[in-house]
């Protein structure tokens, strides 16, 4: 169970980000900062972490399975988006729409990250069970890039009106890594490299959809110096995580 405790620590880094966001609540500059940071963190996460790890999990037809899973992920998030209340960019009064769109991004990002964290928890558990020290370092690296996501999810929701929703997502995000490790512990024989590869491929599609269709649009429409600060901070945090 020590391996699952490592997963728990990695997931709890989300709460550090949430604490930062709560301390500076209702700050529009923080929202712009968090959107910029999440945008660049997700891109770097895909390039240096998820895509390479996914390709390693497939023995044959690597890119076919990767592309297929990615398309499924895009399609799934598209369908989920239809079930989540969403307001068109140009059909509503700007300020009201902006708040609704931010909450929409927070919801969609949370769904994708929870799935990703489940798989990542399995990965951490597998590494730690093979080498405890390496697993611990890996978990710290994962935890560091969870901080900006904790900031983003908390900042994007209107906490006074959506406290319950915010707390539910934060709990799920904080413990989803732990749950991933627990699943691997309980069903280790069923979760082959191929199955994990498919799950990660689906996650890639979901993240791509978020980056292009949600975060990029929000960043483009509200770009300011705080957005740039967020991008720079996200790059620094991810580089620290990669270095570790």
């Amino acid at each position: 169970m020590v391996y699952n405790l490592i997963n728990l620590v990695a997931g709890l880094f989300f709460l550090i980000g949430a604490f930062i966001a709560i301390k500076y609540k209702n700050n529009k500059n923080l929202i712009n900062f968090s959107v910029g940071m999440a945008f660049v963190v997700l891109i770097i996460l895909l390039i240096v972490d998820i895509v390479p790890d996914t390709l390693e999990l497939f023995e044959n037809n690597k890119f076919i399975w990767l592309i297929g899973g990615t398309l499924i992920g895009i399609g799934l998030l598209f369908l989920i988006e239809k079930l989540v209340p969403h307001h068109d960019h140009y059909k509503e009064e700007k300020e009201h729409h902006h708040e609704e769109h931010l909450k929409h991004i927070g919801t969609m990002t949370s769904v994708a990250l929870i799935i990703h964290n489940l798989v990542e928890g399995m990965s951490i558990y597998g590494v730690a069970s093979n080498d405890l020290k390496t697993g611990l370092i890996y978990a710290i690296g994962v935890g560091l890039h969870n901080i900006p996501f904790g900031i983003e999810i908390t900042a994007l929701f209107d906490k006074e009106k959506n406290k319950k929703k915010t707390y539910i997502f934060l709990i799920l995000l904080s413990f989803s890594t732990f749950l991933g490790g627990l699943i691997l512990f309980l069903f280790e024989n069923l979760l082959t490299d191929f199955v994990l590869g498919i799950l990660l491929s689906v996650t890639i599609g979901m993240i791509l959809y978020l980056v292009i269709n949600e975060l990029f649009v929000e960043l483009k429409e509200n770009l300011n110096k705080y957005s740039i600060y967020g991008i720079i901070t996200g790059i620094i945090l991810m580089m620290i995580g990669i270095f570790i």
Side-chain angles (χ1 to χ4, degrees):
M1 288 300 291
V2 66
Y3 310 133
N4 280 321
L5 290 177
I6 292 174
N7 270 326
L8 181 61
V9 170
L12 291 178
F13 272 79
F14 276 103
L15 299 182
I16 297 176
F19 174 78
I20 294 172
I22 291 171
K23 184 174 177 61
Y24 299 99
K25 61 183 177 180
N26 299 324
N27 189 323
K28 291 184 179 180
N29 292 330
L30 176 61
I31 292 174
N32 290 330
F33 177 89
S34 68
V35 169
M37 183 163 54
F39 176 77
V40 73
V41 165
L42 282 173
I43 292 174
I44 295 174
L45 188 66
L46 283 177
I47 295 173
V48 306
D49 185 0
I50 302 179
V51 171
D53 287 352
T54 302
L55 289 173
E56 287 183 5
L57 291 168
F58 296 125
E59 291 186 5
N60 301 305
N61 302 315
K62 294 176 181 287
F63 288 98
I64 293 177
W65 291 116
L66 177 67
I67 294 171
T70 298
L71 292 175
I72 291 173
I74 292 173
L76 282 175
L77 206 53
F78 177 80
L79 291 175
I80 292 172
E81 186 177 39
K82 295 302 179 182
L83 302 176
V84 177
H86 186 49
H87 299 266
D88 188 83
H89 275 275
Y90 307 104
K91 290 184 179 179
E92 295 195 23
E93 190 274 324
K94 187 174 181 181
E95 186 65 27
H96 173 68
H97 152 70
H98 184 58
E99 293 178 0
E100 291 298 322
H101 187 236
L102 289 173
K103 285 183 281 186
H104 176 76
I105 291 177
T107 300
M108 302 301 288
T109 304
S110 297
V111 171
L113 285 176
I114 288 168
I115 295 174
H116 167 252
N117 289 348
L118 286 170
V119 179
E120 196 162 53
M122 298 175 192
S123 175
I124 293 173
Y125 182 93
V127 172
S129 60
N130 183 58
D131 186 313
L132 183 59
K133 182 180 178 181
T134 302
L136 182 59
I137 294 173
Y138 179 30
I140 292 173
V142 169
L144 285 172
H145 72 57
N146 283 340
I147 293 175
F149 291 128
I151 294 174
E152 182 207 359
I153 299 303
T154 308
L156 292 181
F157 289 115
D158 182 343
K159 292 173 286 301
E160 295 304 316
K161 297 179 181 179
N162 297 277
K163 283 185 177 180
K164 184 177 180 180
K165 189 174 186 178
T166 305
Y167 294 149
I168 288 174
F169 275 129
L170 283 174
I171 290 171
L172 290 174
L173 285 165
S174 298
F175 288 94
S176 53
T177 308
F178 171 79
L179 289 175
L182 187 61
I183 289 171
L184 187 58
F185 173 74
L186 295 174
F187 303 101
E188 192 168 358
N189 293 330
L190 299 178
L191 293 170
T192 63
D193 285 351
F194 178 77
V195 173
L196 289 175
I198 292 296
L199 289 173
L200 278 176
S201 297
V202 171
T203 301
I204 290 169
M206 298 178 81
I207 292 177
L208 280 174
Y209 185 93
L210 283 168
V211 168
I212 297 171
N213 195 53
E214 300 286 351
L215 290 172
F216 177 73
V217 172
E218 189 66 34
L219 189 62
K220 182 179 66 174
E221 291 187 356
N222 299 280
L223 185 66
N224 61 15
K225 64 179 182 180
Y226 294 100
S227 307
I228 303 300
Y229 295 157
I231 291 172
I232 294 171
T233 302
I235 292 173
I236 293 172
L237 283 175
M238 288 302 292
M239 290 304 102
I240 292 174
I242 292 169
F243 176 75
I244 291 178

